[in-house]
Amino acid sequence: MHKRRRIRKVALGILSVLAIAVVVLNWTYGRLPSEPKPTGSFIQVGKLHIHYIEHPGVGTPVVLIHGLPGTAEDWEDVTPLLAGHRTIAIDRPGFGYSTGGYVPFDRQLEVIHELLAKLSVSRPILVGHSYGGTISLGYAERYPSGVRGLVLVDAAAAGQKVGGFEEAQAHLVKFLQLPVIRQVSNATFGQLLITVSADQGDAEAFSPLPVVAAHRRRVLEINMTHGNLEAWSGEILASTGVIAKIDKGLHGIVTPTVVIQGEEDKLVNQSHGRKLAATLPHARLVMLYGGHMQPYDHPAAVAAAVRALSSNG
């Protein structure tokens, strides 16, 4: 009996030390940075406050739509290469500095349509990265006469599905964002969990190339905030169904398209990019070395695709 009590005391002591270590790491290595002040502009669309970054120009306007998660600043290496074009990079509803939390896919299409109308943008070239590519495809299906061209960069389409681990992670994040639970988890282990997960996610997204420091900083400063995490978890859980629905209409999208795909993409396998380019009636495929983050790794290729579509009619 005495030996059992001693074992229990030792075990409790070890658990206490581990718990203290986790809390310490939570407020040191895991501590999330404060959210910086936004650049760019805001516009009201219904009940949503939408953030966007615009550069003036003439000719065919270019609308850039980030992935899951992401911000308008994911295009900061691409837009300088499109000098002369009017470019509008959007924080999708719920992401970046835009309000909304999780906004369903169809409503996002409506918000983007209303936003472009408010900004007097007609027949733009849509440039979509990852799930932003899914959004762009959905927009072209719903508003076929409203799009001049599509540049789909590592697009989540053509049979792409969310894995079981990612779904479980999304359920956990959704749970941890509940009132009270969020405050308790952030004070004890939540920030550490988020930081470790974000670092693992970035390493996978950029592989085999190194993670871009500016992207990692933005993920921790902006994408790991409460509203962004709500948007991320909701979109992850809905995305497989959304992609399947969009895939049914791919044959009907006659918009001129460039599909850009990373050869070593670990998030959207190159087979999906190849299938997407083969399925769309007027698409050409550009394969590039690297992983999932082509707007960072090959911004010149993205800009070149835009210019090619702009010059063709």
Side-chain angles (χ1 to χ4, degrees), residues 168-185:
Q169 190 178 36
H171 280 296
L172 176 61
V173 168
K174 190 174 182 179
F175 172 73
L176 293 177
Q177 294 310 300
L178 293 173
V180 181
I181 292 173
R182 176 164 59 95
Q183 287 79 3
V184 172
S185 67

Side-chain angles (χ1 to χ4, degrees), residues 154 205-209 262 264-266 289-294 297:
D154 302 302
F206 278 94
S207 177
L209 298 173
E264 305 295 329
D265 193 335
K266 288 182 169 58
Y289 175 72
H292 189 66
M293 305 302 285
Q294 299 302 323
D297 295 331

Side-chain angles (χ1 to χ4, degrees), residues 29-30 190-202 216 220:
Y29 168 74
Q191 296 179 91
L192 177 62
L193 178 64
I194 285 170
T195 299
V196 171
S197 298
D199 283 346
Q200 289 177 340
D202 250 10
R216 180 185 185 273
L220 295 177

Side-chain angles (χ1 to χ4, degrees), residues 34-78:
S34 58
E35 187 176 0
K37 291 182 179 180
T39 59
S41 306
F42 287 86
I43 192 168
Q44 196 73 22
V45 181
K47 296 181 179 180
L48 300 175
H49 206 43
I50 302 298
H51 174 249
Y52 65 98
I53 299 174
E54 180 175 5
H55 297 284
V58 296
T60 305
V62 181
V63 176
L64 302 113
I65 305 173
H66 66 75
L68 172 60
T71 74
E73 292 184 88
D74 286 334
W75 303 104
E76 66 180 1
D77 293 334
V78 175

Side-chain angles (χ1 to χ4, degrees), residues 87-215:
T87 61
I88 300 166
I90 302 169
D91 275 353
R92 294 197 288 112
F95 292 96
Y97 295 100
S98 293
T99 61
Y102 169 59
V103 176
F105 185 85
D106 288 341
R107 178 55 185 154
Q108 286 199 54
L109 300 182
E110 294 169 358
V111 169
I112 292 172
H113 188 66
E114 293 169 31
L115 180 147
L116 297 183
K118 284 176 175 282
L119 295 177
S120 300
V121 174
S122 61
R123 297 200 71 236
I125 293 172
L126 296 185
V127 184
H129 175 234
S130 192
Y131 200 70
T134 317
I135 295 283
S136 300
L137 287 165
Y139 192 95
E141 287 185 5
R142 176 173 288 200
Y143 308 105
S145 63
V147 183
R148 177 167 175 170
L150 294 170
V151 178
L152 306 173
V153 187
D154 302 302
Q160 174 73 14
K161 295 180 180 180
V162 170
F165 174 78
E166 201 169 8
E167 282 192 351
Q169 190 178 36
H171 280 296
L172 176 61
V173 168
K174 190 174 182 179
F175 172 73
L176 293 177
Q177 294 310 300
L178 293 173
V180 181
I181 292 173
R182 176 164 59 95
Q183 287 79 3
V184 172
S185 67
N186 282 348
T188 53
F189 67 90
Q191 296 179 91
L192 177 62
L193 178 64
I194 285 170
T195 299
V196 171
S197 298
D199 283 346
Q200 289 177 340
D202 250 10
E204 185 177 23
F206 278 94
S207 177
L209 298 173
V211 173
V212 173
H215 184 268

